[in-house]
Each structure stands twice: as structure tokens, then as C-alpha cells.
Amino acid sequence: MSIKVTAKYPSNIALVKYWGKYGNQLPCNASLSMTLTHAHTEVVLECLPRTQDEAALSYYFDGNLNPAFGDRVMRYVKARPEFSRLLDNFSLRFSSHNSFPHSTGIASSASAFAAIAAALFKAANPALSDDSALKEMSRLARLGSGSACRSFYGPYSQWGQLDEIAGSSNEFAIPVIEIHDNFKSMKDAIIIVESEPKEVSSSKGHSLMEGHPYAEARFKDANKHCLEMVSTLRNGDFSSFISITEREALSLHAMMMTSSDYYMLIRPQTVQIIKNIFHFRKDTRLPLCFTLDAGPNVHLLYPEHIEPQVKEFINEMVIKDSNSVIFDQSGTGGLTLNYVNGAA
Ligand code: DP6
């Protein structure tokens, strides 16, 4: 018998950033993200009868075998008894596709590990499909890549234990409940300043928070921002949304610029776009703000109803240097998870 599972999961963009981890992929501070819709990874997992010729695990990206990523996924599977028992009977073949290009400021590890964890979980537990499974899938995704655990819910997801938030945990993410109408339909336009692979990996960045002179203050600040953002999403206050989101983005980069092995990922054009956003806001009083991931590309966040003005701003002020733009929007989390028993 063989099994086939398809899993399609979105990426997410953090408004309050996870930066610094300890133990087995546990976060040093709470984070909160907006789940995306169009930026997703689709994984087809085929569990095939084990034969002599077939590799125990193979990973294909867009039809091409990727042994390096396959090794990472193999280590991930082997380390979890929940998944490794699949290897007793099957060879695992993953075929995956990202809906967005690489190195564009969209976390591919978030959508990829959400989809991989969900596919493996479904293959190992075909009958389970309730809320507790969602929590467990989020936990397992976190062990592959921290930010992946937030891709199971939408439009907003929170990860990291805070006494004030019932049910919050360092182990898995939970949905942010009670979202004001102002924040139910947010847009994210990603301006590509540079699409080179990252100079410094996120893993290295997280590790540089160990012994960082500002670490304790940063973790405290992020936890505070997380609580403030939960209230903001409930009460619909755009000015508070803007100030938390932008301070978080700049704090993340300030940490990189002040770590022992300091580095800088923003570019002159990143700064120019941010300054243009400040001017736009001053001139129009419209709630457009920015965030940054661990890279130079700028995410413009805004409510759907101001899209015409924002598109005009992008055309006039931002893409003069022929940057490409990816348009996305807030979404609901897991997109599809299907199981076929006895697939050919
Ligand atoms: C800046 O989730 O990529 O995007 O757990 O090592 O896989 P690993 O790190 P990763 O880090 C994300 C860092 C960030 C902020 C965030 O998404 O919260």
C-alpha cells in the first residue's frame, strides 16, 4: 500500500519578531505574525513501499532533486518518533513547489516546514483532524523552523508563552482571537530591493542574540509589543499598529547591527523607501506602514480600502528603479491537507 498526502501552507510575516532562541527551537520572546495568502508552499508527500532501489527519503523542488534540503528533512524526520516510524515501512518522496521566488523577503522555511510537518503528520495520523492536531502540527513545524509554527492560523498568529495570554506557549502557536474589522483584510506589498540569497542566515542571527548586550531589553520589549499588538488588533487602532510594527522591524535590524559579529542587511534603497513611507503618511494621514524581514526588502502593510492610493504611491515613489513588487494579503492559515490511501 502507498499513501499520498498533499499539503499547501502559506508563509507569514512577523509584526513582532522572533529573534533569539534556546533549547530545542524555543523562542526567547513572544512573536506575532500576519499570515499570508498567495505566498505558499505546496508539498506532495508520497509514502511508497520500501524497495532496495528507492532512497529512504528524497526531496524534489520543482521536479529537481535537492539532496541538501533532503538531508535536512531526513534529520528532521529521524529526530521525531512521530514521523520516523513511517521510515520502517515506506520510502518518503517529497515534491514541493513555492508560489513565490527565492530570497524575496518571504520566509520560505515558514511555509515549507508548515507544509512538510502537516504532510508527515497526516500520513502518520490519517484519522486525526481536530484542534489538538492543529496544535501538534504547529509544534512539529516549529521544530523544523520556528516561524513555521505560526502558519497554521490566520489572519494573525501568536507564538510564545505570556502569562496574560491564555493558552499561549513556547511550544506552538495559537490564533489571535477577536480581530477588529480594521485589521481583518490587510494587504502586504513586498518591494524587492535585492533578491540575492541572505548574507547571514537566520540561524546565525538567532545565535548572535546569545550574549548580545541588549538581549534582555530586546526580549522584554518584544513581549510587551506582543501584548500591545493583541490589544491593538482587538481595538482597531491603526496608529498603535503602525508604531509597534515599525519599531519591531527597526529593532530586529538594530540587533543585527549591534551583535558581536555585526552585520547590516538593509540597503540605501531600503532606507529611502522607509523615508518615503513616512512622508506619504504625513501628507495623506493614511495608515500605510512597513516591516522588514531579515533582509533588505520592504513589506508595505495597509488596509484594503487604501489600496488605490498605495498602488499610486508605489508606482510614483518606490519602483522608479524598476524594483519588482509582490502583492499579497492576510489569510487564514493552512490552505489544503488531503490524504489518499492506497494511492498509485
Ligand atoms: C526575522 O524561523 O527562519 O523572520 O527557527 O532558525 O528556522 P529558524 O528561524 P526562522 O527565523 C525567523 C526570523 C524572522 C522573524 C520572525 O519570523 O519572527
Side-chain angles (χ1 to χ4, degrees):
M1 190 196 71
S2 47
I3 295 170
K4 183 171 173 178
V5 180
T6 51
K8 190 161 141 185
Y9 279 73
S11 187
N12 64 73
I13 176 71
L15 306 176
V16 178
K17 310 291 184 184
Y18 147 57
W19 200 240
K21 57 179 164 179
Y22 69 96
N24 197 0
Q25 291 273 101
L26 294 164
C28 293
N29 63 263
S31 60
L32 190 153
S33 56
M34 183 174 101
T35 310
L36 298 177
T37 297
H38 304 311
H40 63 256
T41 299
E42 186 159 15
V43 164
V44 178
L45 166 60
E46 290 167 282
C47 304
L48 305 162
R50 191 82 182 256
T51 64
Q52 293 290 325
D53 314 332
E54 190 84 24
L57 188 150
S58 47
Y59 203 102
Y60 292 83
F61 266 124
D62 290 331
N64 300 316
L65 190 65
N66 188 319
F69 197 71
D71 287 347
R72 178 170 169 189
V73 176
M74 184 60 155
R75 282 195 301 278
Y76 172 72
V77 171
K78 275 192 169 162
R80 338 242 89 82
E82 301 92 331
F83 295 155
S84 61
R85 61 192 163 86
L86 287 169
L87 293 170
D88 296 343
N89 301 316
F90 298 112
S91 292
L92 308 183
R93 186 190 297 164
F94 292 84
S95 308
S96 93
H97 169 71
N98 286 348
S99 67
F100 53 95
H102 247 287
S103 308
T104 46
I106 299 174
S108 56
S109 67
S111 52
F113 269 97
I116 291 167
L120 285 163
F121 186 83
K122 194 76 184 165
N125 308 278
L128 279 182
S129 65
D130 55 7
D131 270 3
S132 65
L134 217 51
K135 244 181 220 172
E136 186 57 2
M137 287 193 284
S138 170
R139 187 185 73 80
L140 289 160
R142 181 203 100 230
L143 294 162
S145 178
S147 51
C149 74
R150 297 184 308 232
S151 283
F152 288 82
Y153 312 97
Y156 301 93
S157 183
Q158 187 266 330
W159 168 38
Q161 204 272 324
L162 289 171
D163 292 343
E164 296 83 346
I165 301 182
S168 62
S169 170
N170 282 349
E171 300 267 343
F172 49 79
I174 56 172
V176 180
I177 48 170
E178 287 186 61
I179 304 297
H180 191 281
D181 282 352
N182 281 353
F183 297 120
K184 278 189 179 149
S185 195
M186 290 292 282
K187 298 277 180 176
D188 179 9
I190 305 146
I191 317 291
I192 311 301
V193 168
E194 209 175 88
S195 55
E196 304 293 313
K198 279 187 215 169
E199 287 159 34
V200 181
S201 70
S202 286
S203 301
K204 169 85 178 159
H206 285 293
S207 73
L208 288 170
M209 287 307 285
E210 282 167 37
H212 193 296
Y214 305 139
E216 285 317 310
R218 163 66 201 152
F219 300 149
K220 218 171 131 201
D221 211 30
N223 286 341
K224 182 167 152 280
H225 284 160
C226 208
L227 290 176
E228 287 171 357
M229 187 56 100
V230 168
S231 319
T232 298
L233 292 173
R234 192 174 300 150
N235 66 31
D237 181 351
F238 277 121
S239 62
S240 154
F241 180 90
I242 291 169
S243 107
I244 300 167
T245 303
E246 293 188 343
R247 281 197 60 211
E248 273 292 316
L250 297 176
S251 299
L252 169 72
H253 285 262
M255 291 302 109
M256 299 170 187
M257 290 186 229
T258 49
S259 52
S260 53
D261 275 348
Y262 51 89
Y263 59 107
M264 196 188 286
L265 299 182
I266 54 172
R267 298 284 176 263
Q269 208 198 359
T270 313
V271 178
Q272 192 54 56
I273 294 170
I274 291 173
K275 288 174 96 175
N276 288 345
I277 292 170
F278 292 162
H279 287 142
F280 173 88
R281 217 162 48 223
K282 194 154 171 261
D283 293 347
T284 64
R285 308 255 148 227
L286 293 174
L288 167 68
C289 70
F290 72 87
T291 188
L292 304 166
D293 201 35
N297 302 322
V298 187
H299 291 246
L300 269 55
L301 303 175
Y302 52 96
E304 190 169 20
H305 72 271
I306 68 163
E307 178 137 73
Q309 292 95 321
V310 173
K311 283 199 163 156
E312 202 177 308
F313 164 74
I314 291 174
N315 287 331
E316 282 174 13
M317 304 292 293
V318 178
I319 55 171
K320 290 190 282 239
D321 300 330
S322 65
N323 308 92
S324 51
V325 185
I326 298 176
F327 288 96
D328 211 327
Q329 61 194 51
S330 53
T332 53
L335 300 168
T336 48
L337 185 56
N338 293 320
Y339 176 91
V340 186
N341 196 356

